[in-house]
Amino acid sequence: MTDVPDTFAAYADGREDARFTDWLRARSEPDWTAAVDGRFVRELGTDRIDDDAFRRYLEQDYAFVETLTGTFGHALAEAPSMAAKGRLADFLGTLTSEENDYFERSFEALDGNPDADPDATTRAFVDLLERAGREGGYAETLAVLVPAEWMYETWATGVDSRPERFYLDEWIELHATPAFVEFVAWLRAELDREGAAASPRRQARLDRLFRRTVELERDFFDAAYENGNRT
């Protein structure tokens, strides 16, 4: 968090059109860069990732996706307008149909286990999502959903080449489609509005939730190599 003010008011001072989500992202460094430009993403984008590492990653992601779906459902219930509820409902449809189909085909190809037990990082992530929804409102839920989705959009749209293995290529494509990019932009705008209007105390809580999510995303990628060598 080099030279990043610890309050949004200080960050916005002297900046035209300062965005709350830009402040949160800057506050999350160096974990943000370590996740979106780390070993896992580099090897995925260049088709060099080991199948066992990617299988472990997918198994943990699948163990996590049910809670993620529930968190989006909570955001839908708390959303301040019917338009916002509609956007969230549309994305929930994607999570429960297109993405689930991808998991089924990929597990078959990789001999993966859709019932794998969650590891420590996944359990911590599940706990964070559940607490954000249980103890907070719309803004708190967005503070964990935005970094989770924004980080994926960031690394996926930054991949220059595409892998030959379908389960790698389609995983990138799912998070680089124009529809997903547009949805992430919308999510960010929602948190920008909610965060800027929040009290300083609540803004600090949103900052903590955002940074913890980024930290866990970094750990989530690293955990794929738990049985191999890390760099």
Side-chain angles (χ1 to χ4, degrees):
M1 294 188 298
T2 306
D3 297 327
V4 181
D6 60 4
T7 68
F8 178 61
Y11 173 82
D13 186 32
R15 285 184 170 89
E16 289 189 20
D17 302 320
R19 298 189 64 171
F20 188 72
T21 53
D22 282 337
W23 173 64
L24 293 176
R25 187 200 58 75
R27 293 270 297 166
S28 72
E29 292 291 2
D31 290 329
W32 179 283
T33 297
V36 302
D37 193 31
R39 175 185 177 184
F40 180 88
V41 170
R42 294 195 306 270
E43 291 187 356
L44 171 60
T46 55
D47 209 357
R48 293 185 295 114
I49 193 167
D50 181 78
D51 271 349
D52 285 341
F54 193 70
R55 173 185 52 77
R56 287 192 294 270
Y57 162 80
L58 278 189
E59 288 172 345
Q60 292 305 309
D61 199 83
Y62 196 68
F64 165 77
V65 76
E66 182 176 352
T67 302
L68 180 66
T69 301
T71 305
F72 269 106
H74 180 77
L76 189 157
E78 296 287 330
S81 68
M82 289 302 297
K85 291 179 187 295
R87 293 296 296 266
L88 291 163
D90 287 344
F91 187 70
L92 274 171
T94 299
L95 279 177
T96 56
S97 58
E98 294 174 30
E99 195 159 311
N100 193 63
D101 173 71
Y102 163 82
F103 277 113
E104 291 177 354
R105 290 183 292 107
S106 298
F107 283 145
E108 183 177 356
L110 291 163
D111 194 25
N113 179 12
D115 299 313
D117 292 332
D119 64 17
T121 299
T122 302
R123 291 195 300 271
F125 222 146
V126 165
D127 180 66
L128 177 69
L129 289 178
E130 290 179 340
R131 284 191 296 107
R134 184 174 62 247
E135 300 173 6
Y138 187 55
E140 283 75 15
T141 306
L142 289 173
V144 295
L145 293 177
V146 167
E149 303 302 330
W150 188 11
M151 294 177 79
Y152 271 67
E153 183 261 347
T154 298
W155 69 253
T157 55
V159 172
D160 295 324
S161 58
R162 298 297 284 267
E164 292 186 6
R165 287 171 282 177
F166 84 85
Y167 39 86
L168 304 183
D169 180 65
E170 289 186 23
W171 191 238
I172 296 168
E173 179 63 20
L174 279 168
H175 300 98
T177 64
F180 185 71
V181 171
E182 182 182 351
F183 178 70
V184 170
W186 177 81
L187 272 182
R188 285 188 61 197
E190 289 290 286
L191 184 53
D192 283 335
R193 184 192 66 244
E194 295 290 322
S199 68
R201 182 176 181 179
R202 193 178 190 190
Q203 288 176 344
R205 182 163 67 246
L206 301 178
D207 173 41
R208 290 192 297 272
L209 287 168
F210 190 102
R211 285 189 284 119
R212 179 57 174 157
T213 303
V214 174
E215 178 185 358
L216 287 171
E217 285 285 10
R218 180 206 64 198
D219 292 346
F220 199 81
F221 289 146
D222 286 347
Y225 300 99
E226 61 184 6
N227 294 323
N229 296 319
R230 297 194 184 190
T231 56

